[in-house]
């Protein structure tokens, strides 16, 4: 079968090391008893081959029509489960219907956007195993106080337990990317709902990190801080010094101060 020509604008760096592909596929655990799996960006199916050796109900989504033609030839039995779509704009809540896990060697240029979409679908997405740019992987898994800790770390850590699994060097891809890669696993935690207004929590986290070097007092002032909240010692801190629970506490304080 003629191979897919790598397209830079689609982040196509095809993994050539079968051992690593197998290791990624085996990192999926079926957390919370889920068998339905969506692979984002299967390309030529290097991960897919190993996923199909396991007992998953597997769906594939790729934006590239050349990859899709290749996958249909390679896996004729998958039929409609091979989906040509943009994961970022497609309605996968409806396609998948039930809770599902995500796996993939993500297109690195859109990996943060993929995670914002995962957050929107957090009630349905039980697990994510993925390879992405090492720095982004580290940032997502990073604890508070670390220079890498940011918006995605807090938001994802609020709903998922995150593990950095292993690093992968550029030589095992065709063409090799300019950056190192990292594989992470996210397992949805048991907390169905945060103990605060979740929409406000998202706003507080995003606004809190809007200027990293500034205190929360400065970053959040456009949100209408009352005088008493303005005096609260937490406002002297910077966003990177707060973990998820502290952000939840801050969100509750903000809401209560508005209700007074
Ligand atoms: C890094 S490659 C990985 C390919 C293959 N899984 C491998 O490991 O060799 C990323 C894949 O994501 C696909 N892709 C890029 N943007 C996408 C999007 N928005 N939605 C779905 N797939 C996308 C690309 O076409 C490509 O096949």
């Amino acid at each position: 079968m003629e191979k897919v020509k790598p397209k830079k604008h689609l982040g196509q760096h095809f993994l050539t090391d079968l051992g690593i592909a197998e290791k990624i596929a085996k990192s999926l655990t079926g957390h919370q008893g889920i068998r339905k799996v969506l692979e984002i960006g299967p390309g030529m199916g290097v991960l897919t081959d190993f996923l199909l050796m396991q007992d998953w109900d597997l769906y594939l989504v790729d934006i590239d029509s050349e990859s899709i033609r290749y996958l249909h030839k390679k896996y004729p039995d998958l039929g409609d489960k091979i989906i040509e779509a943009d994961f970022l704009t497609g309605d996968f809540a409806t396609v998948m219907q039930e809770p599902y896990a995500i796996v993939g060697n993500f297109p690195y240029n859109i990996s943060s956007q993929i995670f914002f979409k995962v957050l929107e679908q957090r009630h349905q997405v039980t697990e994510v195993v993925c390879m992405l740019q090492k720095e982004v992987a580290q940032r997502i898994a990073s604890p508070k106080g670390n220079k890498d800790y940011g918006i995605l770390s807090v938001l994802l850590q609020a709903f998922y337990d995150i593990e950095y699994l292993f690093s992968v060097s550029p030589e095992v891809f065709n063409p090799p990317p300019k950056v190192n890669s990292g594989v992470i696993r996210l397992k949805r935690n048991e907390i169905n709902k945060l103990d605060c207004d979740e929409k406000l929590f998202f706003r507080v986290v995003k606004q809190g990190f809007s200027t990293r070097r500034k205190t929360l007092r400065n970053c959040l002032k456009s949100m209408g801080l009352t005088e008493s909240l303005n005096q609260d010692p937490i406002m002297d801190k910077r966003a990177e010094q707060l973990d998820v629970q502290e952000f939840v506490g801050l969100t509750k304080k903000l809401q209560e101060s508005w209700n007074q």
Side-chain angles (χ1 to χ4, degrees):
M1 237 177 343
E2 200 175 324
K3 289 195 171 168
V4 175
K5 279 186 213 70
K7 300 166 198 71
K8 202 175 167 194
H9 71 285
L10 295 180
Q12 287 182 338
H13 297 276
F14 296 116
L15 184 60
T16 53
D17 185 320
L18 299 186
I20 292 174
E22 182 175 20
K23 210 167 151 188
I24 297 173
K26 284 190 170 162
S27 299
L28 198 63
T29 66
H31 178 58
Q32 297 180 342
I34 297 310
R35 306 309 306 166
K36 232 178 192 182
V37 173
L38 177 66
E39 184 185 351
I40 300 179
M44 286 188 279
V46 65
L47 282 182
T48 320
D49 285 344
F50 291 102
L51 291 165
L52 286 171
M53 288 176 199
Q54 301 163 3
D55 182 27
W56 306 116
D57 180 14
L58 186 64
Y59 289 68
L60 311 176
V61 54
D62 205 295
I63 198 170
D64 179 31
S65 47
E66 195 186 347
S67 294
I68 292 292
R69 279 196 300 277
Y70 184 97
L71 294 164
H72 272 300
K73 278 194 202 142
K74 189 172 179 185
Y75 310 114
D77 292 351
L78 284 184
D80 292 348
K81 291 182 173 180
I82 300 175
I83 303 160
E84 180 175 348
D86 178 347
F87 175 73
L88 297 179
T89 54
D91 178 7
F92 287 91
T94 306
V95 171
M96 301 304 283
Q97 291 179 356
E98 297 159 20
Y100 67 101
I102 287 177
V103 65
N105 173 8
F106 287 175
Y108 294 179
N109 49 343
I110 59 161
S111 54
S112 296
Q113 288 157 275
I114 291 175
F115 276 112
F116 280 110
K117 178 111 187 200
V118 166
L119 281 164
E120 280 170 26
Q121 291 188 24
R122 60 189 180 275
H123 300 294
Q124 222 176 335
V125 178
T126 50
E127 182 175 9
V128 181
V129 169
C130 64
M131 176 147 64
L132 64 172
Q133 185 176 341
K134 185 173 177 178
E135 274 127 48
V136 182
Q138 284 173 327
R139 188 177 323 145
I140 287 171
S142 163
K144 77 168 178 180
N146 193 302
K147 69 172 173 42
D148 297 330
Y149 188 67
I151 295 174
L152 265 185
S153 337
V154 183
L155 296 180
L156 287 168
Q157 287 172 26
F159 303 101
Y160 293 92
D161 297 327
I162 303 175
E163 295 159 89
Y164 186 93
L165 299 181
F166 55 92
S167 305
V168 179
S169 56
E171 310 84 72
V172 298
F173 296 89
N174 176 36
K178 289 201 175 74
V179 293
N180 285 312
S181 304
V183 176
I184 52 174
R185 176 168 55 212
L186 291 79
K187 288 182 182 168
R188 199 172 61 190
N189 60 31
E190 299 301 328
I191 303 164
N192 282 326
K193 216 192 145 319
L194 295 182
D195 183 26
C196 66
D197 178 326
E198 288 190 355
K199 267 198 179 145
L200 185 58
F201 172 82
F202 274 68
R203 276 181 60 205
V204 168
V205 173
K206 286 181 182 169
Q207 194 63 34
F209 279 100
S210 57
T211 317
R212 279 191 86 93
R213 286 180 310 278
K214 291 195 173 167
T215 61
L216 288 165
R217 182 176 296 108
N218 248 302
C219 293
L220 301 183
K221 73 179 164 218
S222 63
M223 295 186 83
L225 300 181
T226 59
E227 195 43 41
S228 67
L229 189 52
N230 225 349
Q231 303 295 333
D232 193 298
I234 198 169
M235 290 300 175
D236 294 326
K237 294 193 173 187
R238 293 188 311 268
E240 68 207 44
Q241 298 173 287
L242 266 55
D243 65 14
V244 170
Q245 283 320 313
E246 288 165 311
F247 266 111
V248 168
L250 175 59
T251 306
K252 278 163 86 171
K253 278 185 182 176
L254 185 61
Q255 180 129 51
E256 282 158 19
S257 73
W258 289 342
N259 295 339
Q260 274 165 13

